[in-house]
Structure formats: structure tokens, C-alpha cells
Amino acid sequence: MAHIGRRGLLAGVAGALAAGTVTTASAAPGPAPAPGAAFRGMWVASVANVDWPSTVGLSAAEQEAELVSLLDTAVRRRLNAVVLQVRPTADAMWPSALEPWSQWLTGRQGGDPGWDPLGTAVARAHERGLELHAWFNPYRVANHTNASLLVPEHPARLHPDWVVPYGGKLYYNPGLPQVRAFVQKAMLDAVRRYPLDAVHWDDYFYPYPVEGQYFDDDEAFAAHGADFASRADWRRHNIDALVREMGAAIQATRPGVRFGVSPFAVWRGDDVDPLGSATRAGLGTYDDLYADTRRWVREGWLDYVAPQLYWHIGHPQCDYETLVDWWSQTVRGTSVDLLIGEALYRCDPDSPTAAWRDPAELSRHLTVAARYPQVRGHVHFSAKQVVADRNGAMAEVVADHYPTRVPPR
């Protein structure tokens, strides 16, 4: 799946390795909703210091300055939302009592950075008229398989039976009800503390398949899977339950906070399911990640879905417009907003793919998407590329589609 790109970027990089707390109770909420306005977001990845902080071990003041600079860049690019990764590997970018401080801040898991990054991010974003969507990864524990490298008080060390090594990483086992309850509690801690605009998940549920590797959930399946026709059905049930329960818990905790997921863009191909898309991606969320993303939309368990449409217009296996059309049909008649995840990181003058060398490719994406009334906006991966804009693609998007600032919804 070399064409996925973003997943490879995060996995590959992850393999290598003003002081003071801000009080957010009085922070103003995000921009007021405006019907018909377009969502314009950017992802800020913290895992492996992909976007922010630029490296581990910066001072609190340096980390905050970098964060504020990214928010100011979003304003200059006439964006209106930032999707900030705050729980990359079963850790926290806020002072959580349930999980350790993220290693991507100080270089040491559990190391206090001397400030409250999430609390500061919410306050600074709202000051600039930006929404702040807190991006959590539910089940990834570590980008290695050595549990002894985790801090002694880490829940994965206190409960080793919760963890499954797979593909060179550690994951919480989605098949255990106690795990599902814990990861929800860990994420809801941030919802309870801060006036977030949304809770955001990416594309990791059960891990992406790794050839020759086995995700050993035999004991959990034996204990909890008796009522299901297959292990695949049971796994999908586990992820369905996580999504359904989390959506309800967010509203119970802080009404008005939205819930969005950014899945891999192919649910199933129409070669295996007539309801699927006319694509041949080599995998799909339903069969390979056990994430029935179509159902989540049709059941209304989400407020928005932001599929990662990281292919160019005319791609022979996964054409951009084919997927925009499929997702538009999927959300039609539901209350779920459709946002499109855009591959700004692929826009490169040295790209091996001619389409991505063309600075106008990304702007054409937004032109295509504008033909579909179900598309409510776009999210660009990622902040580093919004800043660098290596071939001028982001500048073209701004010039062609973002003439003035607008509220996100």
C-alpha cells in the first residue's frame, strides 16, 4: 500500500526516535456556526515530532512559540480549524491522571513539560477564531514491542493482559470490554477539562495488516466472541461499540462537542460488495481494519467523517472524484457532515507522480468537491506542509478557494 503515504510517513518516522500552566475554564468557545460555511482545517501531528513540537526537549516557552506559530500560519492561510494530535501513543499532551505525559514533548515518557499544551492550544486557537479538534488514537500503545520501555505506572504495564504486540508495535486489545472502557475514560478526561470543539480519531482501529504477522486476540475471542458468526464480525462489533459509546459519552460529558473520524477512504470495493466504491485499493476498512465506517455514518454515530482521499484525480485504482462521489452518496440523508482529507504532503516538485508535481492538482480537488453539496470542507495533512508549501499547491488553494476567512460551520 505504498500509495497510502501518510500512514507510511507516520510509521516510518515513528520508528526513529512560556513556562506555566494555562487555565482554560474561562476560554471562549470556538467560532459560532454559520450554515453553509466551509470547514478549512489542518492536521498537526505530534507523534514522532512530525509537525509539533519540532523536536523533543524544547523548553516550555519554545514549544508554545512553535504551537502559536502554527496557529498563526493557519490564520494566514485563511483556515478555520486545527486538528491537534494530543494522545498519539496511549499518552497525553495534557496533565492526565490516567496516562503519562507524552514522550514527544520532553523525550522521556512521563516527563512533565512544565506547561499544559492542550489547554494552551484551546485558548490560543479560540483567541484566533480557530476551532480546536483534539485528535486521539484509541488503541496504539507504543511504536515498539518492549513494554519495559513504558513508565512503570503505565496502564499497559499494570495490565499486561490488555496488550497485543503486532507488526513491531504494541496495541491495546479492542476485544476486551475493560480496555474499551479505559480508553474512553482516558479521552473523556480531556473533554471534561477543556472546551474542545471536537474529538477527532484517525484511521487506526485494529492495526493495518502486516504480512506474516498474527494479531493474537484468541483468549479475548474465546471469552467474548461466542455470539458472533466469525471473528471478523466480533471485531467489527468491538469497534462499532467503541464508536457508538464514545459519541454518546462525549455528549453526556460536554454537550455540543462534535465527534469526527478520519478513516482510510475505502470502505469496501464494489468487487466484493455492491455497496462499495468502484476502487481497488488492496484493502478496506470493513475487512482489514474491522471498522464499518459506512455504518457509523448511516447510523448517525458521528457528527462528521473526514476520509483520507490521498489519491490524485484520475488515479487508475482509486480515483479522487470516484471516492468523493461515493462518500457523498454515503452521507446523503444523514446528519453527518462530510469533510475531505487532502494529501498536501504529496504535493512536491520532486514527486515521482506527475499529478502531484503540478501545483494546481490540489486546487482542482476542491473544485471537484465543490460540485457535491454534501462536502462541507477539507482538512489538509499536515501543518508542516501548510507552512512549507513545497510546490505552491497550498497557495493556489488559498487563492482559488479561500478568498476570505469564514467560520468553520
Side-chain angles (χ1 to χ4, degrees):
M1 292 300 296
H3 62 270
I4 294 175
R6 167 178 168 181
R7 178 167 60 90
L9 169 70
L10 292 179
V13 175
L17 285 185
T21 299
V22 172
T23 300
T24 60
S26 61
F39 187 96
R40 305 171 184 174
M42 72 177 184
W43 277 289
V44 181
S46 58
V47 65
N49 305 111
V50 167
D51 290 313
W52 173 86
S54 61
T55 187
V56 297
L58 299 177
S59 69
E62 289 169 330
Q63 290 177 359
E64 181 174 355
E66 285 192 350
L67 178 61
V68 167
S69 178
L70 291 176
L71 298 178
D72 287 341
T73 296
V75 172
R76 285 195 301 273
R77 295 293 196 181
R78 300 181 192 137
L79 305 182
N80 51 31
V82 172
V83 184
L84 176 66
Q85 191 174 35
V86 298
R87 186 180 183 267
T89 49
D91 51 14
M93 293 280 183
W94 73 96
S96 170
L98 300 171
E99 294 182 305
W101 280 108
S102 177
Q103 72 181 90
W104 311 115
L105 292 168
T106 64
R108 178 177 63 85
Q109 188 176 73
D112 187 338
W115 67 305
D116 180 354
L118 177 53
T120 303
V122 173
R124 299 290 179 263
H126 288 173
E127 288 170 0
R128 288 159 175 76
L130 298 167
E131 283 198 350
L132 195 290
H133 293 219
W135 166 14
F136 305 85
N137 186 288
Y139 288 125
R140 184 171 57 205
V141 173
N143 290 317
H144 55 76
T145 58
N146 187 352
S148 68
L149 297 178
L150 305 175
V151 292
E153 66 273 18
H154 197 293
R157 290 191 68 177
L158 300 177
H159 304 278
D161 54 312
W162 286 8
V163 178
V164 179
Y166 179 81
K169 296 179 171 60
L170 291 176
Y171 297 91
Y172 282 131
N173 187 344
L176 296 176
Q178 61 270 37
V179 164
R180 188 168 77 242
F182 173 76
V183 298
Q184 291 183 50
K185 184 178 180 181
M187 292 181 281
L188 288 167
D189 179 66
V191 178
R192 185 174 297 108
R193 288 181 181 224
Y194 306 106
L196 307 176
D197 294 287
V199 167
H200 181 98
W201 291 351
D202 54 24
D203 52 326
Y204 289 84
F205 296 98
Y206 279 88
Y208 280 86
V210 177
E211 186 175 0
Q213 297 281 313
Y214 178 63
F215 191 86
D216 187 0
D217 56 0
D218 290 355
E219 289 188 13
F221 182 52
H224 303 289
D227 294 335
F228 298 88
S230 68
R231 187 177 306 221
D233 286 346
W234 170 70
R235 286 179 173 177
R236 277 186 289 272
H237 161 79
N238 296 332
I239 305 302
D240 284 351
L242 177 75
V243 173
R244 184 181 64 251
E245 293 170 3
M246 188 66 180
I250 291 168
Q251 290 309 304
T253 302
R254 190 182 285 271
V257 174
R258 305 180 84 208
F259 180 33
V261 174
S262 175
F264 180 74
V266 175
W267 172 71
R268 302 187 94 188
D270 62 3
D271 56 332
V272 296
D273 191 320
L275 295 175
S277 55
T279 55
R280 301 295 180 268
L283 61 80
T285 62
Y286 181 92
D287 298 290
D288 298 292
L289 307 182
Y290 308 99
D292 192 352
T293 51
R294 182 180 182 276
R295 182 184 184 190
W296 305 346
V297 170
R298 301 304 298 179
E299 295 281 356
W301 294 341
L302 306 173
D303 294 298
Y304 69 81
V305 63
Q308 297 171 22
L309 269 62
Y310 291 170
W311 297 274
H312 60 268
I313 297 169
H315 190 286
Q317 283 80 44
C318 295
D319 171 57
Y320 177 86
E321 185 164 9
T322 296
L323 283 164
V324 171
D325 182 81
W326 186 86
W327 279 102
S328 296
Q329 298 298 327
T330 297
V331 304
R332 180 174 291 173
T334 75
S335 61
V336 178
D337 285 345
L338 173 60
L339 312 177
I340 303 299
E342 299 287 354
L344 178 61
Y345 75 97
R346 303 199 70 183
C347 298
D348 188 334
D350 299 319
S351 171
T353 304
W356 294 114
R357 295 195 296 271
D358 183 354
E361 172 69 19
L362 203 62
S363 181
R364 285 194 288 266
H365 286 203
L366 274 69
T367 299
V368 165
R371 301 172 191 156
Y372 295 84
Q374 293 80 18
V375 176
R376 304 289 295 180
H378 302 260
V379 193
H380 301 282
F381 190 85
S382 63
K384 182 188 300 182
Q385 283 75 32
V386 173
V387 172
D389 196 16
R390 287 173 295 186
N391 72 345
M394 191 69 207
E396 291 215 16
V397 165
V398 173
D400 296 345
H401 301 280
Y402 301 162
T404 60
R405 291 197 72 199
V406 296
R409 53 190 168 100

